[in-house]
Amino acid sequence: MTRRVSSVELRVRYAETDRMGVVYHTNYLVWCEIGRTNHIRESGMTYREMEDAGVGLAVAEASVRYHAPARYDDLVRVETVLAEVASRTVTFDYTIVNAESGARLATARTLLVSIDRNHRVSALPAEMRARLEADAVREA
Amino acid sequence: MTRRVSSVELRVRYAETDRMGVVYHTNYLVWCEIGRTNHIRESGMTYREMEDAGVGLAVAEASVRYHAPARYDDLVRVETVLAEVASRTVTFDYTIVNAESGARLATARTLLVSIDRNHRVSALPAEMRARLEADAVREA
Amino acid sequence: MTRRVSSVELRVRYAETDRMGVVYHTNYLVWCEIGRTNHIRESGMTYREMEDAGVGLAVAEASVRYHAPARYDDLVRVETVLAEVASRTVTFDYTIVNAESGARLATARTLLVSIDRNHRVSALPAEMRARLEADAVREA
Amino acid sequence: MTRRVSSVELRVRYAETDRMGVVYHTNYLVWCEIGRTNHIRESGMTYREMEDAGVGLAVAEASVRYHAPARYDDLVRVETVLAEVASRTVTFDYTIVNAESGARLATARTLLVSIDRNHRVSALPAEMRARLEADAVREA
């Protein structure tokens, strides 16, 4: 059994650096959001469509380990894996690497909770869940 | 005739700096938003209440001149003046200074357009306009 | 034995919200940075002075749990505790609450690594460590 | 005589939206920075190389007009033109459009000042100026 790894690249913005000369640490979590958006898109729907249909995914937990700094103008790759889908939650794992050297920059995990238009926790609609699960688990 | 100058202070966040060692330039406009929010609050209503009542102020034009850099942990003061109120627009002027030395860091102007819940341009409700105008023009 | 809890308040910026109508999740970690900066200041030195002396604290791990959303214009309080000081690392815990209702919004932990001017991991200078430790542990 | 227009596309991040449901206004200036970085790269050097060589371009003036909002997940294109090069300043013009509909979202201008490693205003090195000027003015 393997899980699909989606990949998206981005170039580091000047705005994302801080006075230490490297990327400010919270921006890696913004990049995870880009990885997640891209991962969902590749599963055949978009997160915008999910929200338009009244289903939100709110970040309930986030954790990051920083291994090496990204710098201005670096080309960075975010690799995203859907780790787990439950009735009301979705967990993604991320590995952020320098796209040119392959060096690992950060690893992260986020747990998202499915909410309705009124921001109440609610079960993921079956079709969306099926799409994410089909995506998560693929036989080798 | 004088115009009321409102004043609000903030301390520069590490997140706001960039690899040049100074504050990244767009953050001064975020500080203007803080000045504007504070200015409206001091006129006796809050911008959040305006939005809850269905009236938004969308930035239509913004300009900034940068005079000297702000740095991490500096105490900064935003001085805001309501420059003009028309039926559908409000213009604010800002002066951003180092609160300790008094040095002028930036000057800015924003033109905001009044919009309704559907994001259509619409006249400012009379009561809100009156409140802002009363605030803008005070006899010396 | 008790640990000092430092407290700092801030008002939520419009810039910090997202289209879900609440604060975008990475901003809580920016607020933790404000709490940390404030906590160090209250221990009798400033983080800026530490950097000027060639000692940086780089975030090596960060984790957050989100309990309830903060909204635009909310007054928020960041409570910071120094959890642990080792030769090369410092760990802070944060609780972020709505300053008016007292509701708990988020809890977070960051592990910081002491680095030198060349961004190499290096032991915290004894005086700085002593200051932080004195601060961390106070007899009841 | 025509001026080269460089083009770069980006997808709107969730982080860039605000509670009005659209992109927060200062982010368009961040996108201008991306357009500028890309424009310089296409002229045969990179802005990172300029900084490594001790030459910075600090934003001294910025202005934006907002025509229509960008939304989450929109594909946006930044078109950048080098408007003027003088001994110590460089001016860029930007047009930001929705890449799918072609609708104009914002127009902007920034004036940048050449600074040395000590952040003092200084003339652009001849070679860099020549490269930018060659780029700016091309016979039709």
Side-chain angles (χ1 to χ4, degrees):
Chain A
M1 194 185 90
T2 56
R3 288 171 187 277
R4 179 170 67 87
V5 180
S6 70
S7 229
V8 63
E9 288 188 358
L10 56 93
R11 200 174 277 284
V12 175
R13 305 171 171 190
Y14 209 94
E16 292 171 330
T17 62
D18 66 24
R19 77 177 206 135
M20 224 177 246
V22 298
V23 169
Y24 184 71
H25 70 103
T26 66
N27 290 311
Y28 294 81
L29 280 172
V30 175
W31 299 346
C32 291
E33 174 229 299
I34 294 174
R36 191 161 70 236
T37 288
N38 179 63
H39 195 91
I40 295 174
R41 184 189 315 283
E42 291 188 357
S43 74
M45 59 187 171
T46 68
Y47 179 61
R48 183 158 71 172
E49 288 163 357
M50 289 178 66
E51 283 204 353
D52 288 347
V55 179
L57 292 175
V59 179
E61 295 178 21
S63 59
V64 196
R65 282 173 181 259
Y66 301 91
H67 305 291
R71 293 171 198 282
Y72 167 60
D73 213 39
D74 282 352
L75 199 60
V76 160
R77 185 169 66 244
V78 184
E79 299 171 347
T80 306
V81 167
L82 205 163
E84 194 187 1
V85 187
S87 65
R88 300 168 164 210
T89 61
V90 188
T91 305
F92 289 96
D93 285 333
Y94 315 87
T95 305
I96 298 174
V97 302
N98 183 303
E100 274 149 345
S101 71
R104 194 176 59 158
L105 306 176
T107 47
R109 164 166 283 204
T110 58
L111 170 71
L112 298 107
V113 173
S114 172
I115 57 173
D116 64 17
R117 286 189 200 283
N118 299 311
H119 290 194
R120 277 182 302 229
V121 176
S122 63
L124 267 174
E127 194 202 17
M128 289 179 190
R129 184 174 172 179
R131 219 183 258 280
L132 290 169
E133 278 176 330
D135 176 79
V137 184
R138 301 221 170 139
E139 297 303 318
Chain B
M1 193 185 92
T2 55
R3 288 173 186 276
R4 179 171 68 88
V5 180
S6 70
S7 229
V8 63
E9 289 189 357
L10 56 93
R11 199 173 280 282
V12 176
R13 304 170 173 191
Y14 208 93
E16 292 171 330
T17 63
D18 66 23
R19 76 177 205 134
M20 222 176 249
V22 298
V23 169
Y24 184 71
H25 70 103
T26 66
N27 289 313
Y28 295 81
L29 281 172
V30 175
W31 298 347
C32 290
E33 174 228 299
I34 295 173
R36 190 161 70 236
T37 288
N38 179 63
H39 195 91
I40 295 174
R41 184 190 315 281
E42 291 187 359
S43 74
M45 59 187 169
T46 69
Y47 178 63
R48 182 157 72 172
E49 288 163 357
M50 289 178 67
E51 283 204 353
D52 288 347
V55 180
L57 291 175
V59 179
E61 294 178 22
S63 59
V64 195
R65 282 171 181 261
Y66 301 91
H67 305 291
R71 294 171 198 281
Y72 167 61
D73 213 40
D74 281 353
L75 200 59
V76 161
R77 185 169 65 243
V78 184
E79 298 170 347
T80 305
V81 168
L82 205 162
E84 196 189 359
V85 186
S87 65
R88 298 166 166 213
T89 62
V90 188
T91 304
F92 288 96
D93 285 333
Y94 315 88
T95 305
I96 298 174
V97 302
N98 182 303
E100 274 149 345
S101 70
R104 195 177 58 158
L105 306 177
T107 48
R109 164 167 284 206
T110 58
L111 170 70
L112 297 109
V113 173
S114 171
I115 58 174
D116 65 17
R117 285 189 199 282
N118 299 309
H119 291 195
R120 279 182 301 230
V121 176
S122 64
L124 268 173
E127 193 201 17
M128 288 179 191
R129 184 174 172 179
R131 217 181 260 280
L132 290 169
E133 278 176 332
D135 176 78
V137 185
R138 302 221 169 137
E139 298 302 319
Chain C
M1 193 186 91
T2 55
R3 289 173 185 278
R4 179 171 68 86
V5 180
S6 70
S7 230
V8 63
E9 288 189 358
L10 56 92
R11 199 173 280 283
V12 176
R13 304 170 172 192
Y14 208 93
E16 292 172 329
T17 62
D18 66 23
R19 76 176 206 136
M20 223 177 246
V22 298
V23 169
Y24 184 70
H25 69 103
T26 65
N27 289 312
Y28 295 81
L29 280 171
V30 175
W31 299 347
C32 290
E33 173 229 299
I34 295 173
R36 191 162 68 238
T37 288
N38 178 64
H39 195 91
I40 295 174
R41 183 190 315 282
E42 291 187 359
S43 73
M45 59 186 168
T46 69
Y47 178 62
R48 183 157 71 171
E49 288 163 357
M50 289 177 65
E51 283 203 353
D52 289 346
V55 180
L57 292 175
V59 180
E61 294 178 23
S63 59
V64 196
R65 284 174 179 257
Y66 301 91
H67 305 293
R71 294 171 197 281
Y72 167 61
D73 212 39
D74 281 353
L75 199 60
V76 160
R77 184 170 65 243
V78 184
E79 298 171 347
T80 304
V81 168
L82 205 163
E84 194 187 0
V85 187
S87 65
R88 301 168 164 211
T89 61
V90 188
T91 305
F92 289 96
D93 286 331
Y94 314 88
T95 305
I96 299 174
V97 301
N98 182 302
E100 275 149 346
S101 71
R104 194 177 58 159
L105 306 177
T107 48
R109 163 166 285 204
T110 59
L111 170 71
L112 297 107
V113 173
S114 171
I115 58 173
D116 65 17
R117 287 189 198 282
N118 299 309
H119 291 193
R120 277 181 303 229
V121 176
S122 63
L124 268 174
E127 195 202 16
M128 289 180 191
R129 183 174 173 179
R131 219 182 258 281
L132 290 168
E133 279 176 330
D135 175 78
V137 185
R138 301 223 171 136
E139 298 302 319
Chain D
M1 193 188 92
T2 55
R3 289 173 186 277
R4 179 171 68 86
V5 181
S6 70
S7 229
V8 62
E9 288 188 358
L10 57 92
R11 200 173 278 283
V12 176
R13 303 171 172 190
Y14 209 93
E16 292 171 329
T17 63
D18 67 21
R19 75 176 207 136
M20 222 177 248
V22 298
V23 168
Y24 185 70
H25 70 103
T26 66
N27 289 311
Y28 295 81
L29 280 171
V30 174
W31 298 348
C32 290
E33 175 230 298
I34 295 173
R36 190 161 70 238
T37 288
N38 178 63
H39 195 91
I40 295 174
R41 184 189 314 282
E42 291 188 358
S43 74
M45 59 186 169
T46 68
Y47 178 63
R48 182 158 70 172
E49 288 163 357
M50 290 178 65
E51 283 203 354
D52 289 347
V55 180
L57 292 175
V59 179
E61 294 178 22
S63 59
V64 196
R65 283 173 180 258
Y66 302 91
H67 305 293
R71 293 171 196 280
Y72 167 60
D73 212 39
D74 281 353
L75 199 60
V76 160
R77 185 169 64 244
V78 184
E79 299 171 348
T80 305
V81 168
L82 204 163
E84 195 187 0
V85 186
S87 66
R88 298 169 166 211
T89 61
V90 188
T91 305
F92 289 96
D93 286 332
Y94 315 88
T95 306
I96 298 173
V97 302
N98 182 303
E100 276 152 343
S101 71
R104 195 176 58 159
L105 305 177
T107 49
R109 164 167 284 206
T110 59
L111 171 71
L112 298 109
V113 173
S114 171
I115 58 173
D116 65 16
R117 285 189 200 281
N118 300 311
H119 292 193
R120 279 181 302 229
V121 176
S122 64
L124 267 173
E127 195 201 15
M128 288 180 191
R129 184 175 173 179
R131 219 182 258 279
L132 289 169
E133 278 175 330
D135 176 78
V137 186
R138 302 221 169 138
E139 297 303 318

